[in-house]
Amino acid sequence: MTATAPQEAPAAVLEVSAGRMEAQAAALLAADPTLHLVDLTAVGGASPDPRFRAVYQLRSAAGNRTRLTAAGTGELPGLAHVWPAADWPEREMAGRFGMHIGGREDLRPLFSASQAMVPGEMPPARPEGEVPIHDPAQATPFRLDLGARLRGSRIETAEARPGRLHSGFERLAEGRTWAQLPVLAESLNEQSPFTPGLAAVLAVEALLGITPPARCTWVRMLLAEISRVGAHCAWLANLVGPDSALWGQALTARESAARFLAASSGSRWATGTQRIGGIAADVPAGARRLLADLGGAVDRLRSDALRSTVDHRHWRRRFSGAGVLDAAEALGAGATGPVARAAGIDLDVRRTDPYLAYGEVRFGVPTADSGDVVDRTRVRLEEMGESLSIARQCVTGAPGGPTLAHETPRPTERYTEPAELIDHFGRWMDGHGYRPGRPDIYLPIESADGELAFYLVSDGTGGPARVHLRSPSLYHFRLLPALLAGLGYDQAPQVVASLNVIASEMDR
């Protein structure tokens, strides 16, 4: 069994002028009405050169991808009326790059400095008459800026404002080296730090054309699925927070996932293990026993969670039909992952654009059709079982051999040979390091919440010229005003929890 280099999701590539974008979009939709926008960002536009490239990542309902690039000098036609998912990215491009979006002269900046939280202080004051809808995460209840205006006990209107945490990831990443990018990316998701780090290292390896050892590929897949289980346990704890017994059980199961990750990598969340060309982790000794312990905890958790939520008539009556998102709306809004699959969209990056060794393992992709809180809960609970199945196949199917392409000490470790110091200079010192041979890449993976992707642009130096993160949370957060309108205020926390928005992941 041999490893293959990480590959960009295969896509048809089209390039047009900015002025022809609207006509090109109409032609593409005439050929395939299911074609929807997955992501949109811009490159360039800095003074003194006003030229830019707007990069549209499109995908059909069958999973076929198209990459559409529009070049111009500062003006782009607004396409939110064609692809609703373009709404927030267009606002971001207008604010960050100073681009003029035709037909959208009233655009407000997507990320505002006035929303920033000051350490040790309460969040900024809300507009008069607006009440907060708190993030259901019990440890961090003020991450999301989500407010509502009520009529009695019902939500009349709601507003979602991203950017409260101001993580500044993209700006920070553009000042780092390729080798530093995966470590920096791990700060984006407190539920599953391994996942954005994995997405980053796969994108960098694909850009550089580096093939990791075959065993590394399987170990990465194993840790990705254990991390997915841990993330779903954290999601469930947020969803059922008022049920203290089930909340505690979810966190106990998450501890079992953390023990497995620690046994494999030395870190409870497998952070700091990614290397370009390998991973500083392995299938742990006693992996079968650790998986059996995790599987038992998760099976009990899923059984009890189903009994307390989906199969409980009072809970089901309360949340059946709450926060409904149908398939057409989900596609148009750029929804992915469990949120889209609960609406009947049978898409999973692990299957449509296989990476790692997902093409060599068997797993199901749970779907539903109501698109409400109940179905989103059902889909995530079923996915936990599928992830455990993949993890078991990784333990039994991982080939022998190293997990690192070359055994190089970490920068903080002591070197004992001159060759090790020379290797350190070549990889880590300013002005040295990796030099990509291609200009850019878009590489997606399937996170616990949907399609997580990095779009990396290289200028041939030792670090990225542009880093863009495709966050599923950014697109899902935009859905909340429509999903919450008309619901009872007491229902809002569970609707928010069912989307599992990760605030730091969607900030820039």
Side-chain angles (χ1 to χ4, degrees):
M1 186 181 299
T2 59
T4 57
Q7 297 292 320
E8 183 174 20
V13 178
L14 300 173
E15 295 185 10
V16 299
S17 65
R20 294 197 63 250
M21 261 304 301
E22 200 152 9
Q24 183 65 65
L28 289 171
L29 284 171
D32 185 352
T34 72
L35 198 66
H36 59 281
L37 182 73
V38 176
D39 195 28
L40 167 62
T41 192
V43 181
S47 179
D49 186 353
R51 291 175 296 176
F52 69 89
R53 288 185 294 122
V55 184
Y56 297 75
Q57 305 289 348
L58 309 173
R59 183 171 64 182
S60 71
N64 300 317
R65 293 181 182 268
T66 300
R67 177 168 149 182
L68 178 59
T69 301
T73 56
E75 182 163 355
L76 187 74
L79 293 181
H81 64 288
V82 178
W83 292 306
D87 179 20
W88 278 12
E90 287 179 353
R91 286 174 55 188
E92 182 182 7
M93 291 193 300
R96 179 170 176 180
F97 294 91
M99 293 169 57
H100 178 261
I101 308 298
R104 304 198 65 191
E105 285 72 17
D106 59 342
L107 280 184
R108 292 173 295 146
L110 185 62
F111 301 109
S112 169
S114 64
Q115 295 167 235
M117 290 184 65
V118 178
E121 295 185 7
M122 292 297 289
R126 294 189 168 277
E128 185 177 352
E130 184 179 281
V131 296
I133 299 175
H134 292 313
D135 181 348
Q138 294 193 6
T140 53
F142 299 109
R143 301 178 312 163
L144 302 181
D145 191 352
L146 184 62
R149 296 182 183 276
L150 305 181
R151 182 179 294 275
S153 63
R154 298 215 160 258
I155 298 172
E156 187 172 31
T157 61
E159 183 158 357
R161 293 175 285 261
R164 169 173 285 180
L165 297 189
H166 285 254
S167 66
F169 168 76
E170 291 185 0
R171 291 292 194 188
L172 287 172
E174 288 162 12
R176 300 299 187 271
T177 67
W178 296 111
Q180 291 170 323
L181 182 58
V183 179
L184 185 64
E186 289 175 344
S187 65
L188 291 168
N189 190 325
E190 75 277 8
Q191 289 184 355
S192 177
F194 180 81
T195 303
L198 173 65
V201 80
L202 290 177
V204 171
E205 287 176 351
L207 191 69
L208 296 169
I210 290 177
T211 303
R215 186 170 180 84
C216 163
T217 295
W218 284 78
V219 171
R220 283 175 173 172
M221 187 164 67
L222 169 64
L223 300 189
E225 293 308 313
I226 299 297
S227 296
R228 191 186 312 276
V229 171
H232 282 341
C233 288
W235 152 79
L236 184 60
N238 293 338
L239 181 80
V240 301
D243 186 337
S244 58
L246 193 54
W247 174 82
Q249 191 176 349
L251 295 186
T252 298
R254 191 179 187 221
E255 281 299 303
S256 293
R259 283 194 293 273
F260 189 102
L261 295 174
S264 172
S265 67
S267 165
R268 284 170 51 81
W269 306 122
T271 52
T273 60
Q274 298 288 2
R275 305 286 188 275
I276 296 176
I279 186 169
D282 208 338
V283 178
R288 293 176 189 245
R289 175 183 55 78
L290 289 166
L291 264 181
D293 292 344
L294 175 59
V298 168
D299 287 345
R300 290 189 295 274
L301 174 63
R302 293 172 61 215
S303 176
D304 291 346
L306 284 169
R307 188 161 50 248
S308 297
T309 58
V310 174
D311 295 336
H312 193 288
R313 61 191 180 93
H314 294 302
W315 189 92
R316 190 173 63 250
R317 183 174 61 212
R318 187 179 180 202
F319 294 109
S320 180
V324 173
L325 182 71
D326 66 31
E329 291 169 333
L331 280 175
T336 55
V339 173
R341 290 192 286 272
I345 300 172
D346 186 11
L347 286 176
D348 187 309
V349 178
R350 294 172 296 176
R351 188 177 61 190
T352 58
D353 304 296
Y355 56 98
L356 297 177
Y358 282 110
E360 300 179 45
V361 295
R362 300 179 306 279
F363 63 97
V365 178
T367 60
D369 51 22
S370 296
D372 57 8
V373 171
V374 175
D375 275 356
R376 288 193 284 273
T377 301
R378 189 196 315 273
V379 165
R380 286 187 188 266
L381 290 174
E382 291 180 7
E383 285 189 0
M384 294 168 75
E386 296 297 333
S387 288
L388 286 172
S389 173
I390 295 173
R392 294 187 187 102
Q393 294 175 69
C394 289
V395 169
T396 59
T403 59
L404 289 166
H406 29 70
E407 298 293 338
T408 304
R410 300 184 187 190
T412 56
E413 293 178 351
R414 180 176 298 173
Y415 297 101
T416 59
E417 299 291 338
E420 294 173 347
L421 188 58
I422 293 170
D423 187 80
H424 170 90
F425 282 129
R427 297 181 186 283
W428 294 94
M429 299 303 288
D430 213 14
H432 297 268
Y434 299 98
R435 295 293 190 274
R438 56 181 294 177
D440 61 3
I441 194 166
Y442 177 85
L443 195 142
I445 71 168
E446 185 72 25
S447 77
D449 299 307
E451 180 165 319
L452 178 75
F454 279 94
Y455 177 61
L456 304 179
V457 179
S458 168
D459 58 4
T461 64
R466 174 81 170 95
V467 174
H468 171 68
L469 171 70
R470 194 279 176 195
S471 162
S473 291
L474 183 70
Y475 291 90
H476 296 162
F477 191 48
R478 180 183 167 274
L479 296 170
L480 280 170
L483 298 186
L484 292 170
L487 295 181
Y489 183 69
D490 62 335
Q491 294 175 292
Q494 279 72 30
V495 175
V496 177
S498 73
L499 299 187
N500 201 42
V501 175
I502 306 298
S504 57
E505 182 189 275
M506 67 179 176
D507 289 352
R508 304 303 194 205

